[in-house]
Amino acid sequence: MIELEQVSFRYQNEASHVLENINLTIEHGEWVAIVGRNGSGKSTLAKLLNGLCLATSGVVRVNQTVLTDESKHQARHYIGMVFQNPENQFVGTTVADDVAFGLENLAVPRETMIKRIDQSLEQVDMTIYKDHEPSRLSGGQKQRVALASVLAMQPEVIVLDEATSMLDPIGKKQVLSLIQELQEQLGVTVIMVTHDLNEAALADRVITLDEGTVWFDGKPRELLEKGDQLHEVGLEPPFVTKVYQQLTRQSIDITQEPLHYEELVDELWRLYLKT
Ligand SMILES: Nc1ncnc2c1ncn2[C@@H]1O[C@H](COP(=O)(O)OP(=O)(O)OP(=O)(O)O)[C@@H](O)[C@H]1O
Ligand SMILES: [Mg+2]
């Protein structure tokens, strides 16, 4: 679906590269989390995937088409992107208009359009704000609308750049389970930039960037097993990892490193029942 070959990127008029020699293949239906400290190049990488930034050297391929100034518009039919800052994303005068905008560009018939607007606003719990002005919404509400706009377009790939950072815990959970549903049931490819390793642990694969290069690319469990090394790349081990580390330090034996709260609780029960 997405291939990066020896990709480097430098912003115009800047001396140094922000991304250097990135090689990546992301398959159809994968859920990939991208993590790394501030400034490590996550958003730039996300922008390379839909042609908002074009590689300075190397090749980005989406559905076998090399992304260029000419082909990037085509790529946007497959790839929906929710940015870090939803303020920059609004074009409509009402929430519904805003969601409609992308669909108009895709020349979706009016009736389908109305259905998709209603459905996507429902999915992000924003139906009652349909006729509101986007600029007057709260930060989290704006993120929900930005997400609805992308969902309505039913893209094959969804790129979320810290798209849940302003959501309350319940909203975050809702969005994550919605994403999971889209991935599992419709085979949507999900690429999610996040600072939350708990969130990243939900993905099939985590890519960790450090100073514009890939520091780690693999299963979330393998990343968490790095324990204190995570600090080197500006990541905070999640709570379950810390509990696991404390237990092992005290020679309390847990069969495998837990990835989520549920797994930790299972392990703790097992220990408790043994005593
Ligand atoms: N438009 C731009 N022009 C010049 N330099 C830029 C531009 N946008 C980003 N940069 C620089 O590129 C580097 C990577 O930025 P990027 O936004 O990709 O990081 P990030 O990993 O998304 O960080 P964060 O976690 O803060 O969102 C930073 O050093 C940043 O200062
Ligand atoms: Mg960013």
Side-chain angles (χ1 to χ4, degrees):
M1 182 81 221
I2 295 171
E3 280 178 287
L4 277 78
E5 245 176 59
Q6 288 293 97
V7 170
S8 296
F9 181 81
R10 184 164 50 85
Y11 283 99
Q12 234 171 8
N13 307 324
E14 297 291 323
S16 57
H17 282 94
V18 166
L19 292 171
E20 219 147 353
N21 292 329
I22 308 275
N23 289 294
L24 281 180
T25 304
I26 296 173
E27 306 287 348
H28 251 290
E30 255 191 306
W31 178 343
V32 181
I34 301 177
V35 299
R37 73 172 97 237
N38 293 134
S40 57
K42 305 178 298 295
S43 294
T44 308
L45 178 61
K47 288 182 209 153
L48 279 165
L49 303 181
N50 81 338
L52 268 177
C53 289
L54 291 172
T56 313
S57 63
V59 177
V60 179
R61 252 184 238 107
V62 175
N63 263 351
Q64 270 132 35
T65 308
V66 176
L67 278 194
T68 60
D69 221 12
E70 294 80 46
S71 71
K72 67 185 185 193
H73 301 285
Q74 195 59 29
R76 294 194 189 143
H77 288 222
Y78 317 114
I79 303 191
M81 183 151 168
V82 189
F83 298 94
Q84 193 162 8
N85 186 351
E87 309 286 342
N88 308 330
Q89 217 163 339
F90 294 116
V91 280
T93 50
T94 67
V95 164
D97 276 353
D98 204 80
V99 179
F101 181 77
L103 299 175
E104 278 161 5
N105 278 346
L106 292 182
V108 171
R110 195 177 157 69
E111 217 147 90
T112 319
M113 185 146 55
I114 292 168
K115 265 194 221 140
R116 289 218 212 153
I117 294 170
D118 289 345
Q119 190 196 2
S120 63
L121 286 175
E122 180 84 45
Q123 284 173 318
V124 298
D125 216 4
M126 285 295 286
T127 306
I128 57 169
Y129 293 94
K130 198 175 163 180
D131 299 317
H132 285 227
E133 217 179 288
S135 61
R136 294 198 183 173
L137 300 174
S138 77
Q141 289 169 336
K142 282 179 188 156
Q143 272 193 334
R144 287 169 194 258
V145 174
L147 197 62
S149 303
V150 165
L151 293 174
M153 290 167 76
Q154 303 182 342
E156 286 177 45
V157 183
I158 299 183
V159 183
L160 303 156
D161 187 355
E162 291 177 50
T164 62
S165 57
M166 285 187 236
L167 301 190
D168 54 49
I170 293 172
K172 214 174 255 202
K173 244 190 205 154
Q174 281 171 345
V175 168
L176 287 172
S177 60
L178 176 64
I179 304 272
Q180 197 155 17
E181 215 176 281
L182 294 174
Q183 191 233 2
E184 286 174 3
Q185 294 172 10
L186 302 175
V188 171
T189 310
V190 179
I191 299 165
M192 177 177 81
V193 176
T194 175
H195 277 113
D196 186 345
L197 283 186
N198 290 305
E199 228 172 84
L202 297 170
D204 301 319
R205 170 178 169 195
V206 189
I207 294 170
T208 309
L209 292 183
D210 186 40
E211 295 180 11
T213 60
V214 175
W215 182 80
F216 172 88
D217 182 354
K219 298 248 172 269
R221 198 184 297 282
E222 290 159 21
L223 177 67
L224 298 185
E225 277 166 6
K226 293 192 174 285
D228 288 337
Q229 277 183 58
L230 295 173
H231 289 132
E232 287 169 25
V233 288
L235 299 175
E236 177 71 15
F239 175 72
V240 285
T241 306
K242 286 187 195 162
V243 173
Y244 171 74
Q245 285 172 340
Q246 286 288 342
L247 291 171
T248 8
R249 243 171 248 149
Q250 295 181 31
S251 312
I252 298 173
D253 203 21
I254 278 194
T255 11
Q256 72 164 352
E257 175 162 355
L259 200 52
H260 318 287
Y261 289 101
E262 289 76 8
E263 285 185 12
L264 175 65
V265 171
D266 283 350
E267 289 291 343
L268 292 178
W269 267 114
R270 210 166 296 150
L271 277 177
Y272 176 75
L273 293 173
K274 264 205 271 183
T275 55

